[in-house]
Amino acid sequence: MPTIYKIKKTKKPHVIDLKRKERQKIYQDVRWQRLRVAYLADHPLCEECLTHGVTREAVDVHHVVSFMSAEGVERIELALNYDNLKALCKECHQALHNKR
């Protein structure tokens, strides 16, 4: 009996490009850039490292709840919500994203 191979489903390139464009639109927004700088000024140390007793400079601002899961107006509100942010060092930010 012949073997039937199923074609693996992958995300369509145009869907990936649209999401990337939406994300970049927010990151290029002047409001986000100002909020990022203000948040890092208020939280100069990695918040994750501090929970482990390590002092390390924060260089990234992470969204605790992804704004990409929201729709329309909610998306920009979630992206620019000060309480939805966390200051992280590069290592912690990478580790957090690699978990997913």
Side-chain angles (χ1 to χ4, degrees):
M1 178 166 235
T3 304
I4 299 174
Y5 294 99
K6 287 186 178 180
I7 297 173
K8 292 182 180 180
K9 292 182 181 180
T10 58
K11 288 187 179 177
K12 297 177 182 173
H14 67 280
V15 173
I16 295 170
D17 288 342
L18 285 175
K19 285 188 173 191
R20 184 175 293 133
K21 284 179 184 178
E22 289 178 43
R23 188 178 300 117
Q24 288 307 315
K25 188 176 180 181
I26 289 174
Y27 286 136
Q28 291 171 355
D29 189 302
V30 172
R31 294 174 294 173
W32 163 250
Q33 293 172 359
R34 288 180 182 157
L35 179 62
R36 182 185 179 281
V37 168
Y39 194 85
L40 284 174
D42 292 345
H43 303 87
L45 301 177
C46 175
E47 295 178 59
E48 187 65 29
C49 287
L50 285 174
T51 63
H52 301 291
V54 178
T55 304
R56 192 177 289 165
E57 179 185 16
V59 293
D60 288 333
V61 177
H62 174 72
H63 289 93
V64 177
V65 176
S66 174
F67 61 86
M68 290 306 292
S69 60
E71 294 292 328
V73 176
E74 290 178 24
R75 181 170 290 170
I76 193 72
E77 289 174 0
L78 193 55
L80 300 177
N81 182 343
Y82 190 88
D83 296 326
N84 186 36
L85 304 177
K86 192 172 191 179
L88 300 173
C89 63
K90 282 280 185 207
E91 292 81 6
C92 288
H93 201 201
Q94 283 298 322
L96 198 66
H97 281 283
N98 287 338
K99 269 195 228 178
R100 298 178 191 170

